[in-house]
mmCIF file of all heavy atoms in Angstrom:
data_model
loop_
_atom_site.group_PDB
_atom_site.id
_atom_site.type_symbol
_atom_site.label_atom_id
_atom_site.label_comp_id
_atom_site.label_asym_id
_atom_site.label_seq_id
_atom_site.Cartn_x
_atom_site.Cartn_y
_atom_site.Cartn_z
ATOM 1 N N ARG A 148 2.556 -50.842 -23.907
ATOM 2 C CA ARG A 148 2.949 -49.621 -24.616
ATOM 3 C C ARG A 148 2.700 -48.387 -23.759
ATOM 4 O O ARG A 148 3.501 -47.451 -23.743
ATOM 5 C CB ARG A 148 2.160 -49.520 -25.918
ATOM 6 C CG ARG A 148 2.583 -48.353 -26.787
ATOM 7 C CD ARG A 148 1.903 -48.413 -28.130
ATOM 8 N NE ARG A 148 2.345 -47.341 -28.998
ATOM 9 C CZ ARG A 148 1.926 -47.166 -30.247
ATOM 10 N NH1 ARG A 148 1.070 -48.010 -30.765
ATOM 11 N NH2 ARG A 148 2.370 -46.158 -30.968
ATOM 12 N N LEU A 149 1.579 -48.382 -23.034
ATOM 13 C CA LEU A 149 1.269 -47.260 -22.167
ATOM 14 C C LEU A 149 2.302 -47.150 -21.051
ATOM 15 O O LEU A 149 2.760 -46.058 -20.711
ATOM 16 C CB LEU A 149 -0.136 -47.419 -21.583
ATOM 17 C CG LEU A 149 -0.620 -46.293 -20.660
ATOM 18 C CD1 LEU A 149 -0.611 -44.963 -21.399
ATOM 19 C CD2 LEU A 149 -2.017 -46.607 -20.136
ATOM 20 N N ASN A 150 2.699 -48.285 -20.462
ATOM 21 C CA ASN A 150 3.719 -48.273 -19.412
ATOM 22 C C ASN A 150 5.043 -47.743 -19.937
ATOM 23 O O ASN A 150 5.754 -47.004 -19.237
ATOM 24 C CB ASN A 150 3.893 -49.682 -18.844
ATOM 25 C CG ASN A 150 2.696 -50.122 -18.014
ATOM 26 O OD1 ASN A 150 1.943 -49.287 -17.516
ATOM 27 N ND2 ASN A 150 2.502 -51.419 -17.878
ATOM 28 N N GLN A 151 5.387 -48.129 -21.159
ATOM 29 C CA GLN A 151 6.616 -47.637 -21.759
ATOM 30 C C GLN A 151 6.553 -46.121 -21.967
ATOM 31 O O GLN A 151 7.536 -45.410 -21.752
ATOM 32 C CB GLN A 151 6.858 -48.341 -23.100
ATOM 33 C CG GLN A 151 7.202 -49.815 -22.965
ATOM 34 C CD GLN A 151 7.270 -50.507 -24.316
ATOM 35 O OE1 GLN A 151 6.767 -50.001 -25.321
ATOM 36 N NE2 GLN A 151 7.880 -51.678 -24.344
ATOM 37 N N LEU A 152 5.376 -45.639 -22.370
ATOM 38 C CA LEU A 152 5.198 -44.206 -22.562
ATOM 39 C C LEU A 152 5.362 -43.458 -21.244
ATOM 40 O O LEU A 152 6.025 -42.416 -21.185
ATOM 41 C CB LEU A 152 3.817 -43.936 -23.149
ATOM 42 C CG LEU A 152 3.438 -42.473 -23.352
ATOM 43 C CD1 LEU A 152 4.334 -41.827 -24.392
ATOM 44 C CD2 LEU A 152 1.978 -42.354 -23.777
ATOM 45 N N VAL A 153 4.757 -43.978 -20.197
ATOM 46 C CA VAL A 153 4.867 -43.350 -18.885
ATOM 47 C C VAL A 153 6.320 -43.316 -18.415
ATOM 48 O O VAL A 153 6.810 -42.299 -17.905
ATOM 49 C CB VAL A 153 3.986 -44.073 -17.852
ATOM 50 C CG1 VAL A 153 4.254 -43.550 -16.450
ATOM 51 C CG2 VAL A 153 2.513 -43.894 -18.197
ATOM 52 N N ALA A 154 7.043 -44.426 -18.622
ATOM 53 C CA ALA A 154 8.444 -44.486 -18.226
ATOM 54 C C ALA A 154 9.271 -43.461 -18.998
ATOM 55 O O ALA A 154 10.125 -42.763 -18.434
ATOM 56 C CB ALA A 154 8.987 -45.898 -18.465
ATOM 57 N N LEU A 155 8.992 -43.347 -20.310
ATOM 58 C CA LEU A 155 9.717 -42.374 -21.127
ATOM 59 C C LEU A 155 9.411 -40.958 -20.666
ATOM 60 O O LEU A 155 10.296 -40.100 -20.597
ATOM 61 C CB LEU A 155 9.329 -42.552 -22.599
ATOM 62 C CG LEU A 155 9.934 -41.556 -23.597
ATOM 63 C CD1 LEU A 155 11.463 -41.638 -23.564
ATOM 64 C CD2 LEU A 155 9.406 -41.806 -24.996
ATOM 65 N N LEU A 156 8.148 -40.709 -20.350
ATOM 66 C CA LEU A 156 7.763 -39.383 -19.886
ATOM 67 C C LEU A 156 8.510 -39.005 -18.616
ATOM 68 O O LEU A 156 9.018 -37.893 -18.487
ATOM 69 C CB LEU A 156 6.251 -39.326 -19.657
ATOM 70 C CG LEU A 156 5.714 -38.033 -19.055
ATOM 71 C CD1 LEU A 156 5.986 -36.867 -19.994
ATOM 72 C CD2 LEU A 156 4.228 -38.150 -18.755
ATOM 73 N N TRP A 157 8.582 -39.914 -17.667
ATOM 74 C CA TRP A 157 9.284 -39.633 -16.414
ATOM 75 C C TRP A 157 10.763 -39.340 -16.662
ATOM 76 O O TRP A 157 11.347 -38.450 -16.046
ATOM 77 C CB TRP A 157 9.136 -40.789 -15.445
ATOM 78 C CG TRP A 157 7.871 -40.707 -14.649
ATOM 79 C CD1 TRP A 157 6.785 -41.528 -14.724
ATOM 80 C CD2 TRP A 157 7.558 -39.728 -13.656
ATOM 81 N NE1 TRP A 157 5.817 -41.117 -13.863
ATOM 82 C CE2 TRP A 157 6.260 -40.018 -13.179
ATOM 83 C CE3 TRP A 157 8.232 -38.621 -13.131
ATOM 84 C CZ2 TRP A 157 5.636 -39.260 -12.208
ATOM 85 C CZ3 TRP A 157 7.608 -37.865 -12.158
ATOM 86 C CH2 TRP A 157 6.330 -38.181 -11.702
ATOM 87 N N MET A 158 11.368 -40.069 -17.593
ATOM 88 C CA MET A 158 12.762 -39.820 -17.934
ATOM 89 C C MET A 158 12.933 -38.413 -18.488
ATOM 90 O O MET A 158 13.876 -37.690 -18.146
ATOM 91 C CB MET A 158 13.247 -40.856 -18.954
ATOM 92 C CG MET A 158 13.391 -42.272 -18.384
ATOM 93 S SD MET A 158 13.806 -43.478 -19.669
ATOM 94 C CE MET A 158 15.380 -42.831 -20.216
ATOM 95 N N MET A 159 11.977 -37.995 -19.324
ATOM 96 C CA MET A 159 12.083 -36.672 -19.926
ATOM 97 C C MET A 159 11.810 -35.581 -18.888
ATOM 98 O O MET A 159 12.423 -34.513 -18.925
ATOM 99 C CB MET A 159 11.110 -36.550 -21.099
ATOM 100 C CG MET A 159 11.406 -37.540 -22.222
ATOM 101 S SD MET A 159 10.339 -37.309 -23.659
ATOM 102 C CE MET A 159 11.077 -35.868 -24.389
ATOM 103 N N LEU A 160 10.883 -35.866 -17.994
ATOM 104 C CA LEU A 160 10.622 -34.904 -16.936
ATOM 105 C C LEU A 160 11.862 -34.691 -16.077
ATOM 106 O O LEU A 160 12.212 -33.558 -15.722
ATOM 107 C CB LEU A 160 9.460 -35.386 -16.058
ATOM 108 C CG LEU A 160 8.063 -35.292 -16.668
ATOM 109 C CD1 LEU A 160 7.054 -35.993 -15.754
ATOM 110 C CD2 LEU A 160 7.666 -33.840 -16.858
ATOM 111 N N LEU A 161 12.527 -35.777 -15.743
ATOM 112 C CA LEU A 161 13.735 -35.685 -14.929
ATOM 113 C C LEU A 161 14.839 -34.926 -15.663
ATOM 114 O O LEU A 161 15.670 -34.256 -15.046
ATOM 115 C CB LEU A 161 14.214 -37.089 -14.542
ATOM 116 C CG LEU A 161 13.292 -37.844 -13.571
ATOM 117 C CD1 LEU A 161 13.758 -39.282 -13.427
ATOM 118 C CD2 LEU A 161 13.268 -37.152 -12.206
ATOM 119 N N ALA A 162 14.817 -35.042 -16.976
ATOM 120 C CA ALA A 162 15.831 -34.355 -17.779
ATOM 121 C C ALA A 162 15.421 -32.912 -18.103
ATOM 122 O O ALA A 162 16.183 -32.169 -18.708
ATOM 123 C CB ALA A 162 16.077 -35.121 -19.080
ATOM 124 N N GLY A 163 14.189 -32.538 -17.716
ATOM 125 C CA GLY A 163 13.719 -31.182 -17.983
ATOM 126 C C GLY A 163 13.395 -30.943 -19.448
ATOM 127 O O GLY A 163 13.485 -29.823 -19.924
ATOM 128 N N CYS A 164 13.011 -31.990 -20.165
ATOM 129 C CA CYS A 164 12.755 -31.873 -21.602
ATOM 130 C C CYS A 164 11.482 -31.068 -21.865
ATOM 131 O O CYS A 164 10.443 -31.317 -21.258
ATOM 132 C CB CYS A 164 12.610 -33.259 -22.225
ATOM 133 S SG CYS A 164 12.252 -33.221 -23.998
ATOM 134 N N GLN A 165 11.555 -30.099 -22.795
ATOM 135 C CA GLN A 165 10.412 -29.261 -23.119
ATOM 136 C C GLN A 165 9.354 -30.003 -23.923
ATOM 137 O O GLN A 165 8.228 -29.511 -24.070
ATOM 138 C CB GLN A 165 10.862 -28.020 -23.891
ATOM 139 C CG GLN A 165 11.689 -27.055 -23.058
ATOM 140 C CD GLN A 165 11.942 -25.760 -23.799
ATOM 141 O OE1 GLN A 165 11.643 -25.637 -24.984
ATOM 142 N NE2 GLN A 165 12.485 -24.797 -23.095
ATOM 143 N N GLN A 166 9.685 -31.184 -24.449
ATOM 144 C CA GLN A 166 8.725 -31.943 -25.233
ATOM 145 C C GLN A 166 7.851 -32.845 -24.365
ATOM 146 O O GLN A 166 6.976 -33.546 -24.877
ATOM 147 C CB GLN A 166 9.464 -32.809 -26.265
ATOM 148 C CG GLN A 166 10.341 -32.019 -27.220
ATOM 149 C CD GLN A 166 9.563 -30.966 -27.969
ATOM 150 O OE1 GLN A 166 8.479 -31.231 -28.479
ATOM 151 N NE2 GLN A 166 10.095 -29.756 -28.041
ATOM 152 N N ALA A 167 8.052 -32.829 -23.069
ATOM 153 C CA ALA A 167 7.315 -33.734 -22.193
ATOM 154 C C ALA A 167 5.814 -33.493 -22.263
ATOM 155 O O ALA A 167 5.015 -34.432 -22.253
ATOM 156 C CB ALA A 167 7.800 -33.588 -20.757
ATOM 157 N N GLY A 168 5.395 -32.223 -22.325
ATOM 158 C CA GLY A 168 3.975 -31.915 -22.396
ATOM 159 C C GLY A 168 3.326 -32.467 -23.652
ATOM 160 O O GLY A 168 2.214 -33.017 -23.598
ATOM 161 N N GLU A 169 4.031 -32.352 -24.778
ATOM 162 C CA GLU A 169 3.511 -32.891 -26.026
ATOM 163 C C GLU A 169 3.397 -34.408 -25.961
ATOM 164 O O GLU A 169 2.393 -34.994 -26.378
ATOM 165 C CB GLU A 169 4.403 -32.487 -27.200
ATOM 166 C CG GLU A 169 3.936 -33.028 -28.535
ATOM 167 C CD GLU A 169 4.835 -32.613 -29.682
ATOM 168 O OE1 GLU A 169 5.867 -31.945 -29.428
ATOM 169 O OE2 GLU A 169 4.521 -32.952 -30.824
ATOM 170 N N ILE A 170 4.426 -35.052 -25.434
ATOM 171 C CA ILE A 170 4.407 -36.506 -25.333
ATOM 172 C C ILE A 170 3.278 -36.977 -24.419
ATOM 173 O O ILE A 170 2.558 -37.933 -24.716
ATOM 174 C CB ILE A 170 5.758 -37.029 -24.822
ATOM 175 C CG1 ILE A 170 6.831 -36.797 -25.888
ATOM 176 C CG2 ILE A 170 5.695 -38.507 -24.449
ATOM 177 C CD1 ILE A 170 8.227 -37.120 -25.442
ATOM 178 N N LEU A 171 3.090 -36.269 -23.313
ATOM 179 C CA LEU A 171 2.019 -36.624 -22.383
ATOM 180 C C LEU A 171 0.656 -36.466 -23.054
ATOM 181 O O LEU A 171 -0.210 -37.348 -22.954
ATOM 182 C CB LEU A 171 2.100 -35.752 -21.133
ATOM 183 C CG LEU A 171 1.001 -35.957 -20.082
ATOM 184 C CD1 LEU A 171 0.971 -37.389 -19.605
ATOM 185 C CD2 LEU A 171 1.214 -35.004 -18.911
ATOM 186 N N TYR A 172 0.460 -35.357 -23.749
ATOM 187 C CA TYR A 172 -0.827 -35.103 -24.388
ATOM 188 C C TYR A 172 -1.106 -36.112 -25.501
ATOM 189 O O TYR A 172 -2.195 -36.709 -25.568
ATOM 190 C CB TYR A 172 -0.866 -33.686 -24.955
ATOM 191 C CG TYR A 172 -2.145 -33.354 -25.663
ATOM 192 C CD1 TYR A 172 -3.316 -33.112 -24.945
ATOM 193 C CD2 TYR A 172 -2.203 -33.284 -27.063
ATOM 194 C CE1 TYR A 172 -4.505 -32.815 -25.596
ATOM 195 C CE2 TYR A 172 -3.381 -32.984 -27.716
ATOM 196 C CZ TYR A 172 -4.527 -32.755 -26.979
ATOM 197 O OH TYR A 172 -5.699 -32.470 -27.635
ATOM 198 N N VAL A 173 -0.136 -36.313 -26.380
ATOM 199 C CA VAL A 173 -0.319 -37.241 -27.496
ATOM 200 C C VAL A 173 -0.538 -38.659 -26.973
ATOM 201 O O VAL A 173 -1.423 -39.385 -27.450
ATOM 202 C CB VAL A 173 0.883 -37.192 -28.452
ATOM 203 C CG1 VAL A 173 0.789 -38.306 -29.490
ATOM 204 C CG2 VAL A 173 0.965 -35.836 -29.134
#
């Protein structure tokens, strides 16, 4: 689950998503 979260975070970072910080923190 943690690996999936990290992968999702990287996808959002690449897309410039403003929710990336929240996802990383949570």
Side-chain angles (χ1 to χ4, degrees):
R148 185 172 183 179
L149 181 59
N150 289 337
Q151 291 173 343
L152 177 65
V153 172
L155 177 60
L156 175 62
W157 275 112
M158 290 174 62
M159 298 184 76
L160 287 172
L161 292 172
C164 179
Q165 292 188 351
Q166 302 303 314
E169 179 180 3
I170 292 173
L171 177 58
Y172 178 74
V173 171

